[in-house]
């Protein structure tokens, strides 16, 4: 414990998470307690004030603790986004075509906008993770949106549902900046609500009634790997890798992988992945049964979609019923495992090991 505290103190003293709280509409809504402190003067805070505060915070003698550091990081990002916005608008004003309407990139990629794209065609509903610049990391809003998309897909008239990613990554797992969105109830409340969301999210995959296919277009990390054990088919490009660095992050397996992985690949190979964070190539993942088939990257999209379109023409009710016969024998068990994994993770998220790992990732991101 003393070692952890020492590392945290050093991380803090190095200025790794230094930032200035600046008021924004989002901040006011979510952190009413901070409003008094921030709103009046901070609304008019100049660049100079911002830099002064950055320096001031570096000089703090007392480590403010992980919770405050996470809040500071969130506020720092808002300020950075605001400055990027101003820069972008300035560059547009200087351009020769002033009539073009531009939505700032920072706004376009906000959760709940186009971070998830759902299309339906040829009997296939496709849910595409669409944050390529963030390697399709899953924001809190995206978890909610995927739940809604799966609920809608379970009732639509498509025969098959596909999850895939846009860009070079399939998905880099949980967006680690989700940890900075701390509600008034503090990190405990955050962990509690996170565990409920995780459980609901994974439940949707357990209960999904139709054939569910993962089209893994690139590397996959964390929860995007663990839930593969709940898919019916996993097609991967040979560029894909499969990585679950839970121990490195002070976390533990989710997505029912503590049960599905040992069952699929045997306990020892599962342990190498889930405990020691061994990264598998697509071919290794295929040999171990996690991936159904690997395709050369150059023909991946073409071959996979031809295959899926042919499958989608099979009688949908027969496919649905066959899937349910297979899944029903294990449903209850999977739900129990999901509940247990979510509970364990709730505790892990509050641990020093996890907090340290998240703070360390964020400090690298902030490049301070
Ligand atoms: N959470 C938050 N941000 C993430 C992210 C994640 N899981 N994965 C990627 N990003 C962000 C990066 O921080 C970076 O943001 P920036 O442009 O604002 O700096 C952007 O996405 C691009 O990623 P980058 O790290 O520059 O690309 P890379 O090719 O060098 O590395 C990863 C890609 C996925 C290996 C690396 O980003 C990473 O390790 N991410 C964390 C993965 C993780 O631990 N997930 C949780 C598993 S439980």
């Amino acid at each position: 414990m003393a070692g952890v505290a020492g590392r945290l103190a050093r991380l803090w003293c190095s200025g790794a998470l230094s930032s200035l709280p600046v008021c924004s509409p989002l901040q006011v809504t979510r952190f009413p307690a901070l409003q008094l402190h921030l709103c009046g003067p901070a609304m008019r805070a100049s660049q100079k004030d911002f830099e002064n505060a950055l320096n001031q915070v570096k000089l703090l003698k007392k480590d403010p603790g992980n919770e405050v550091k996470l809040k500071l990081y969130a506020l720092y990002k808002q300020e950075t986004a605001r400055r990027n916005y101003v820069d972008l608008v300035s560059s547009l004003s200087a351009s020769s075509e002033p009539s073009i309407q531009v939505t700032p990139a920072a706004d376009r990629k906000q959760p709940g906008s186009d971070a998830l794209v759902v299309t339906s065609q040829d009997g296939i509903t496709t849910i595409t993770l669409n944050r390529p610049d963030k390697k399709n990391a899953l924001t809190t809003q995206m978890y909610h949106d995927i739940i809604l998309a799966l609920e809608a897909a379970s009732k639509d008239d498509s025969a098959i549902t596909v999850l895939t990613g846009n860009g070079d990554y399939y998905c880099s797992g949980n967006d680690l900046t989700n940890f900075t969105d701390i509600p008034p109830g503090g990190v405990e409340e955050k962990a509690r609500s996170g565990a409920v969301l995780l459980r609901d999210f994974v439940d949707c995959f357990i209960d999904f009634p139709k054939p569910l296919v993962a089209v893994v277009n690139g590397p996959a990390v964390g929860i995007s790997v663990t839930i593969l054990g709940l898919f019916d088919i996993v097609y991967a490009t040979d560029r894909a890798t499969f990585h679950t660095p839970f121990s490195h992050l002070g976390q533990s397996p989710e997505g029912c992988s503590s049960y599905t992985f040992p069952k699929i690949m045997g306990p020892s190979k599962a342990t190498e992945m889930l405990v020691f964070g061994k990264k598998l190539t697509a071919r290794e993942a295929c040999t171990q049964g996690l991936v159904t088939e690997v395709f050369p990257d150059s023909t991946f999209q073409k071959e996979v979609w031809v295959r899926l379109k042919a499958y989608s023409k099979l009688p949908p009710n027969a496919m649905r019923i066959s899937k349910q016969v297979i899944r029903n024998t294990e449903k209850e068990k999977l739900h129990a495992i999901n509940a247990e994994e979510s509970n364990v993770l709730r505790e892990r998220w509050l641990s020093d090991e996890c907090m340290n790992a998240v703070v360390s990732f964020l400090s690298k991101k902030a490049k301070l």
Side-chain angles (χ1 to χ4, degrees), residues 206-312:
I206 296 171
D207 291 331
F208 195 72
K210 300 175 183 179
L212 186 61
V213 181
V215 171
V216 183
N217 56 297
V221 187
I223 191 163
S224 71
V225 177
T226 54
I227 52 167
L228 291 178
L230 297 172
F231 280 71
D232 303 295
I233 289 182
V234 179
Y235 291 143
T237 160
D238 57 8
R239 222 172 34 76
T241 52
F242 298 83
H243 190 202
T244 50
F246 297 128
S247 298
H248 301 75
L249 292 168
Q251 299 186 31
S252 53
E254 64 328 57
C256 294
S257 58
S258 61
Y259 172 71
T260 57
F261 278 31
K263 192 172 151 224
I264 291 169
M265 58 185 80
S268 153
K269 294 284 185 194
T271 300
E272 263 200 308
M273 276 195 88
L274 297 175
V275 178
F276 297 115
K278 183 180 179 196
K279 190 193 282 186
L280 301 190
T281 63
R283 299 224 177 276
E284 286 168 338
C286 192
T287 306
Q288 292 179 16
L290 184 62
V291 166
T292 314
E293 193 168 333
V294 181
F295 299 81
D297 195 53
S298 55
T299 55
F300 175 62
Q301 295 292 345
K302 191 163 171 244
E303 287 193 61
V304 161
W305 290 105
V306 167
R307 181 92 58 96
L308 291 176
K309 276 178 197 165
Y311 288 166
S312 72

